[in-house]
Amino acid sequence: KPILLAGTVELRGEGADAAAVVVFDPDQAAGLAKLRKHLEGSLVAKLEESLSRSLRPPERVFDLAAWYSEVGREGDALALCRKAWQANPASLPIAEALARRLVDAAQGDGGPALLPELALVLEQGAALGKSRALDDVGRRAAGIHRALEQARREEQERAAEAQRKVQEEKIAR
């Protein structure tokens, strides 16, 4: 039974980050759910099976990581990129993919706990060659560090202010 969907294809991003994105028309949740179920059940399963035997070529890793992201399995996408990096530590494209996943996770729920791993991937990836993608991730990581440092300073200031108020109340009594 065919699945009927309507939408447009848009080109987003530039250079190596460019991608064609399908933007579906509103009110197609049922059709999209069927399509997603079909893709996850067939294509994702085939990619998983293929990658269980070998993590080469890296393009299959990227395809499966993208599918995981598409269906909300970011943790699985990150784990797959980590596994691929362990299996192929001399692969600059895999280092780039892992670094992007790590910085995205660090900006989300992963936070500061992922920054040491990200720094290691950036360092080892840079040793493999020049990479605009790693440079971009490095800038994003620096921004995360600045934001965390700012938040830490603000928290210290709030704690100091609270302590000052407590001391003032004790003196006033």
Side-chain angles (χ1 to χ4, degrees), residues 95-136:
E96 293 169 341
L98 177 56
R100 279 192 294 268
R101 298 266 174 209
L102 285 167
V103 78
D104 288 345
Q107 285 181 306
D109 296 335
L114 295 173
L115 293 175
E117 180 183 5
L118 175 57
L120 180 63
V121 171
L122 288 171
E123 178 184 328
Q124 292 176 352
L128 296 173
K130 183 85 174 117
S131 168
R132 188 174 134 208
L134 290 179
D135 292 344
D136 291 344

Side-chain angles (χ1 to χ4, degrees), residues 1-84:
K1 186 175 180 181
I3 300 171
L4 301 176
L5 297 169
T8 57
V9 177
E10 297 178 2
L11 184 60
R12 295 189 183 166
E14 296 179 15
D17 294 328
V21 177
V22 178
V23 179
F24 292 101
D25 293 345
D27 301 326
Q28 298 187 85
L32 289 171
K34 286 180 186 178
L35 177 61
R36 178 168 281 151
K37 183 178 179 182
H38 169 73
L39 292 173
E40 190 170 359
S42 62
L43 296 178
V44 171
K46 286 179 184 175
L47 280 169
E48 287 173 333
E49 180 186 340
S50 171
L51 289 173
S52 71
R53 293 187 300 271
S54 172
L55 291 170
R56 297 175 198 263
E59 291 75 20
R60 288 188 297 177
V61 171
F62 305 149
D63 290 344
L64 183 55
W67 280 112
Y68 281 157
S69 291
E70 181 64 28
V71 297
R73 295 171 56 185
E74 294 297 337
D76 290 334
L78 179 56
L80 176 64
C81 288
R82 281 179 172 136
K83 187 176 175 183

